[in-house]
């Protein structure tokens, strides 16, 4: 009886033979697939920062004893130098930015103070006068 | 010296590719759409090319390639689900099950559609063990290598998955009555 389920599953195999595979992908699938693999390989070799790792699922034992290794970008000295340089640029930019904003802010506060002094007389004279900043 | 090593590496890859590219492509085509299957297969062999030391020699190569394909397809499905969620969010529709190619389902007869639908409702691990056994026709020892589990666990999980499939299949009362029966001697 159980084999009934198995037979039904076997019958539902969409790619049960070489013919159905060729029907799906064409007769020259071997050559064209290899060409795709080669061109992808060349493309990735051109990008020297790219690494091919064995895909893994989170929380699963990847391939039994044949564990794949995912290269971490942090373990590469080149990346470390680039990350340190980027951090220096970001921190430096933040410091310079805050200094500039500080001076601008002080100038703006002075301007507001002067404007308020100038408007003070009018404001006292006309309680309906509204100042928009 | 390095050139000699490269040549040996290329020869090893050629042998693996010639022996297994159809099986890997068929494996992927049974689980996803035509174009995704093609991309996933290329990715699997790219991994084999770039990491020749990781590919087991002899009979161990195919289960290893299936293992990589299994994970490549899982990653592909995850990114597809993310895109699908985004698209359905934008359209305000409920997402469809993206595990099986709808174009191909149209061509199936009613019984095959029922089986495919029931497989689609199983947990991915159950679905995988059933399809590895009945579509890829791998023996339990090789399924164990693909999934990274013991041979005994393969037998137990296969029986459980088959019972769940029996429950998920409509018009399968006869099988449901006998699903508690555990075959001796392991899987087919």
């Amino acid at each position: 009886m159980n084999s009934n389920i198995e037979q039904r599953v076997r019958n539902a195999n969409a790619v049960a033979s070489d013919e159905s595979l060729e029907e799906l992908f064409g007769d020259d699938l071997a050559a064209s697939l290899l060409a795709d693999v080669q061109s992808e390989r060349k493309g990735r070799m051109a990008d020297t920062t790219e690494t091919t790792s064995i895909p893994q699922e989170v929380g699963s034992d990847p391939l039994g004893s044949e564990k794949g290794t995912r290269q971490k970008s942090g373990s590469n000295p080149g990346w470390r130098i680039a990350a340190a340089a980027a951090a220096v640029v970001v921190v430096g930019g933040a410091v310079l930015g805050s200094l500039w904003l500080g001076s601008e802010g002080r100038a703006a506060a002075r301007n507001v103070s002067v404007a308020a002094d100038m408007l003070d007389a009018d404001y006292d004279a006309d309680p309906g006068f509204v100042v928009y900043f | 010296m390095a050139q000699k090593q490269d040549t040996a590496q290329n020869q090893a890859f050629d042998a693996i590719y010639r022996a297994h590219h159809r099986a890997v492509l068929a494996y992927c085509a049974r689980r996803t759409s035509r174009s995704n299957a093609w991309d996933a297969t290329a990715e699997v062999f790219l991994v084999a090319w770039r990491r020749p030391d990781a590919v087991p020699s002899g009979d161990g190569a195919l289960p290893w390639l299936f293992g990589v394909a299994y994970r490549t397809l899982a990653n592909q499905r995850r990114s597809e689900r993310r895109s699908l969620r985004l698209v359905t969010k934008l359209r305000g529709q409920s997402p469809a099950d993206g595990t099986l190619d709808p174009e191909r389902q149209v061509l199936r007869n009613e019984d095959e559609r029922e089986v495919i639908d029931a497989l689609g409702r199983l947990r991915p691990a159950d679905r995988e063990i059933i399809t590895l056994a009945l579509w890829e026709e791998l023996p339990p020892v090789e399924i164990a290598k693909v999934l990274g589990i013991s041979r005994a666990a393969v037998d137990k999980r296969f029986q459980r998955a088959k019972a769940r499939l029996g429950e998920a299949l409509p018009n399968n009362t006869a099988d449901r009555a006998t699903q508690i029966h555990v075959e001796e001697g392991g899987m087919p």
Side-chain angles (χ1 to χ4, degrees):
Chain A
M1 289 288 202
N2 265 336
S3 63
N4 180 28
I5 294 180
E6 290 173 16
Q7 194 52 52
R8 288 179 72 185
V9 174
R10 282 197 178 96
N11 292 343
N13 183 357
V15 189
S17 63
D18 275 2
E19 287 73 33
S20 49
L21 197 65
E22 280 164 10
E23 204 176 296
L24 205 55
F25 295 101
D27 295 340
D28 62 341
L29 65 93
S32 46
L33 180 61
L34 186 60
D36 274 10
V37 176
Q38 282 169 335
S39 77
E40 184 74 10
R41 181 179 175 239
K42 279 177 191 157
R44 294 198 189 185
M45 280 174 81
D47 178 6
T48 51
T49 59
E50 205 279 333
T51 58
T52 301
S53 59
I54 297 170
Q56 295 180 45
E57 278 188 299
V58 178
S60 73
D61 180 15
L63 293 167
S65 56
E66 299 283 347
K67 281 183 186 292
T69 51
R70 194 182 290 275
Q71 263 194 291
K72 292 177 183 170
S73 57
S75 63
N76 185 334
W79 280 103
R80 285 186 188 167
I81 292 164
V88 167
V89 169
V90 169
V91 171
V95 169
L96 289 173
S98 65
L99 286 173
W100 179 79
L101 281 175
S103 64
E104 287 292 304
R106 280 194 295 278
R110 270 198 303 277
N111 289 342
V112 169
S113 170
V114 170
D117 287 345
M118 288 168 70
L119 290 169
D120 201 27
D122 290 336
Y123 187 81
D124 287 344
D126 180 5
F129 185 78
V130 179
V131 181
Y132 292 99
F133 289 103
Chain B
M1 184 73 180
Q3 199 177 355
K4 203 177 253 182
Q5 197 179 356
D6 276 358
T7 311
Q9 190 176 319
N10 285 342
Q11 280 173 349
F13 174 82
D14 284 348
I16 289 167
Y17 180 81
R18 269 200 307 275
H20 302 305
H21 74 274
R22 280 176 177 272
V24 175
L25 186 58
Y27 172 96
C28 295
R30 287 171 189 132
R31 287 161 178 77
T32 187
S33 67
R34 184 182 171 279
S35 58
N36 283 353
W38 190 266
D39 290 347
T41 307
E43 185 68 34
V44 170
F45 281 101
L46 193 64
V47 171
W49 202 335
R50 297 286 294 270
R51 299 179 53 83
D53 299 339
V55 185
S57 56
D59 291 345
L62 186 60
W64 185 89
L65 292 167
F66 282 160
V68 176
Y70 175 59
R71 285 154 187 88
T72 302
L73 290 174
N75 288 345
Q76 213 177 51
R77 273 195 292 271
R78 264 196 294 276
S79 57
E80 267 186 1
R81 272 200 296 270
R82 275 196 293 272
S83 316
L84 195 66
R85 270 201 297 272
L86 184 64
V87 169
T88 50
K89 209 176 193 178
L90 293 171
R91 286 183 183 164
Q93 294 170 350
S94 62
D97 183 3
T99 54
L100 294 160
D101 184 10
E103 286 170 30
R104 225 179 309 148
Q105 284 195 61
V106 172
L107 303 173
R108 292 174 179 277
N109 67 35
E110 194 183 342
D111 186 60
E112 289 175 0
R113 252 202 319 273
E114 276 181 7
V115 173
I116 295 296
D117 288 347
L119 280 171
R121 286 194 294 274
L122 292 183
R123 294 185 322 177
D126 287 347
R127 184 166 57 233
E128 188 63 20
I129 206 161
I130 284 181
T131 51
L132 280 172
L134 302 177
W135 286 356
E136 264 64 49
E137 299 187 340
L138 287 189
V141 67
E142 293 198 350
I143 294 175
K145 285 181 194 164
V146 175
L147 300 177
I149 56 178
S150 71
R151 156 78 207 263
V154 170
D155 282 347
K156 278 185 200 156
R157 287 192 196 180
F158 179 76
Q159 294 303 335
R160 269 206 307 265
K162 203 162 67 171
R164 288 189 188 118
L165 181 63
E167 286 169 9
L169 274 170
N171 307 322
N172 204 50
T173 48
D175 284 316
R176 209 171 297 153
T178 57
Q179 75 191 21
I180 50 167
H181 166 74
V182 177
E183 288 176 353
E184 286 185 14
M187 291 167 39

